[in-house]
C-alpha cells in the first residue's frame, strides 16, 4: 500500500514523546514531531491496547446485539458484543472468545476474521479486530462488576437497515454488520 516516495513526502518523525495521562483504558501522549517540510509541531494521541467486535450469528441469520448506556454519549447505544484487549499483545481471537462469553454467555465453534478497523486514526492507535462467530452454544454470562447490558437477537437484514438509516451509529457495529451482510449475500 505504502511506497517509499510517498512515505518520504508525508512521514512525520518523532523527536520526543511524553506520557501526559495514564489511565486504566488508555494512555495519552504528547510528542514533538518533525513535519516533512522540516518544521516541528506537537501531536497528542491515545495509545490503546486494541479491541474486538463480534457478530455472533444464529442459524436463522439473526445476530446478537447489546444495548447499554454509554456514558460519553449519555444514551443507550445498540452495538455488537465487543471489548478491549487486556494487553497490547493479547491474541485478538482469544479476546473475542472471552468477551462474547462474558457479555452474552455464547460460545462459538466457527470463527471468521473480518479484518481490522481503525476507528479514530487522527488521535488513537486503537485497532478493532472484527469477527463473525457461528455454531453458537448458549450458557451463562459473566459480566464485569460495572457492566450492565441487555442482549437480544436481530435479523441481519434489519441490522443492516438500521446501520444504513443511521439508527445504529456505532462504527464497529456498522462495519462488521456490513461485512457480514456482504459475506452472506444480504443487501
Amino acid at each position: 500500500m505504502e511506497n517509499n516516495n510517498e512515505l518520504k513526502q508525508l512521514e512525520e518523525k518523532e523527536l520526543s514523546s511524553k506520557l501526559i495521562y495514564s489511565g486504566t483504558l488508555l494512555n495519552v501522549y504528547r510528542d514533538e514531531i518533525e513535519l516533512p517540510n522540516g518544521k516541528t509541531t506537537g501531536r497528542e494521541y491515545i495509545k490503546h491496547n486494541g479491541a474486538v467486535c463480534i457478530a455472533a450469528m444464529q442459524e436463522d441469520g439473526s445476530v446478537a446485539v447489546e444495548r447499554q448506556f454509554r456514558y460519553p454519549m449519555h444514551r443507550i447505544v445498540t452495538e455488537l458484543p465487543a471489548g478491549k484487549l487486556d494487553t497490547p499483545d493479547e491474541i485478538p481471537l482469544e479476546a473475542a472468545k472471552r468477551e462474547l462469553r462474558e457479555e452474552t454467555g455464547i460460545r462459538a465453534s466457527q470463527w471468521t476474521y473480518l479484518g481490522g478497523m481503525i476507528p479514530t486514526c487522527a488521535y488513537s492507535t486503537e485497532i478493532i479486530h472484527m469477527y463473525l462467530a457461528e455454531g453458537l452454544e448458549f450458557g451463562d454470562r459473566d459480566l464485569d462488576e460495572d457492566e450492565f447490558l441487555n442482549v437480544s437477537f436481530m435479523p441481519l437484514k434489519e441490522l443492516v437497515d438500521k446501520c444504513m438509516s443511521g439508527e445504529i451509529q456505532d462504527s464497529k457495529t456498522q462495519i462488521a454488520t456490513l461485512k457480514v451482510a456482504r459475506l452472506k449475500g444480504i443487501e
Side-chain angles (χ1 to χ4, degrees):
M1 289 246 233
E2 206 174 83
N3 70 52
N4 284 336
N5 287 335
E6 185 177 39
L7 183 60
K8 287 177 186 176
Q9 293 172 349
L10 301 175
E11 183 178 24
E12 300 176 350
K13 296 177 183 159
E14 177 187 314
L15 300 174
S16 66
S17 184
K18 181 180 179 184
L19 176 66
I20 58 176
Y21 172 79
S22 182
T24 57
L25 175 65
L26 50 87
N27 295 308
V28 180
Y29 286 79
R30 174 147 175 73
D31 290 5
E32 277 300 308
I33 61 140
E34 180 181 321
L35 297 168
N37 65 3
K39 294 184 179 184
T40 61
T41 191
R43 294 280 188 252
E44 292 177 353
Y45 64 99
I46 296 166
K47 282 192 180 179
H48 189 284
N49 287 348
V52 294
C53 170
I54 308 101
M57 181 181 279
Q58 297 189 98
E59 286 183 26
D60 69 1
S62 61
V63 178
V65 294
E66 299 176 347
R67 295 202 21 96
Q68 76 180 296
F69 187 84
R70 290 299 195 176
Y71 183 80
M73 303 308 295
H74 291 285
R75 64 183 168 106
I76 295 171
V77 175
T78 300
E79 59 191 293
L80 294 176
K84 66 179 176 58
L85 302 181
D86 285 342
T87 64
D89 60 348
E90 182 177 17
I91 297 167
L93 178 58
E94 296 307 313
K97 290 177 179 181
R98 178 190 72 242
E99 290 296 332
L100 184 63
R101 184 193 53 75
E102 287 178 359
E103 292 184 359
T104 68
I106 296 171
R107 295 179 192 271
S109 61
Q110 300 168 290
W111 290 84
T112 304
Y113 185 61
L114 300 172
M117 68 165 280
I118 302 170
T120 52
C121 63
Y123 61 87
S124 177
T125 63
E126 182 180 20
I127 296 175
I128 300 175
H129 300 275
M130 300 171 292
Y131 292 89
L132 168 62
E134 298 175 285
L136 308 184
E137 295 179 18
F138 299 86
D140 293 330
R141 299 190 310 172
D142 185 20
L143 294 173
D144 292 338
E145 188 177 283
D146 62 351
E147 197 169 32
F148 301 89
L149 53 92
N150 294 329
V151 177
S152 62
F153 280 84
M154 184 181 295
L156 179 58
K157 174 70 169 107
E158 182 181 345
L159 191 55
V160 167
D161 291 344
K162 288 180 184 240
C163 288
M164 293 303 294
S165 73
E167 185 176 338
I168 292 178
Q169 295 180 323
D170 178 64
S171 63
K172 69 185 176 304
T173 298
Q174 288 181 352
I175 292 171
T177 296
L178 297 177
K179 284 183 171 236
V180 169
R182 177 87 181 258
L183 281 175
K184 298 297 182 179
I186 304 289
E187 296 203 20

